[in-house]
Amino acid sequence: MCGQDKTFTALEPIILANIEAIPDRDLTHLMYAYGVRKVGNPELHAAFEKRLALIADRLDYPSMFNAIYYMLFREITDESLWRKI
């Protein structure tokens, strides 16, 4: 994997400040990257999950892949979110 965990930590405020403007596919790439590395503070993951709940039913296949693996990495058990995907 590229980058260091401290890079991901430094990016968190930027992501949080712009999370509503991040395109769906780009958001799921970020989610996957944070999920697979097991980095990110709870506030970031809460924001990811909140936004995912809004966009889950309109994701394309690559984005669904990223979102599903993020949910598996984070062990998310929210049945309504799984059903949307």
Side-chain angles (χ1 to χ4, degrees):
M1 284 186 245
C2 297
Q4 297 178 355
D5 290 351
K6 67 181 181 178
T7 303
F8 285 81
T9 302
L11 288 173
E12 285 183 30
I14 298 165
I15 294 169
L16 286 169
N18 297 289
I19 197 158
E20 297 301 323
I22 299 171
D24 297 350
R25 186 179 284 188
D26 293 341
L27 179 73
T28 65
H29 283 301
L30 287 168
M31 292 169 62
Y32 180 91
Y34 276 85
V36 74
R37 294 179 75 98
K38 298 186 185 326
V39 296
N41 68 52
E43 179 186 1
L44 177 71
H45 290 288
F48 280 161
E49 292 166 30
K50 180 180 175 185
R51 176 87 189 280
L52 181 58
L54 298 173
I55 65 172
D57 57 352
R58 67 174 188 232
L59 296 175
D60 59 11
Y61 288 117
S63 299
M64 284 174 48
F65 170 91
N66 290 333
I68 288 169
Y69 271 96
Y70 171 78
M71 291 173 66
L72 290 171
F73 297 144
R74 299 279 302 158
E75 298 180 6
I76 295 172
T77 59
D78 182 346
E79 186 176 338
S80 65
L81 188 52
W82 280 104
R83 287 189 182 276
K84 281 185 180 180
I85 290 182

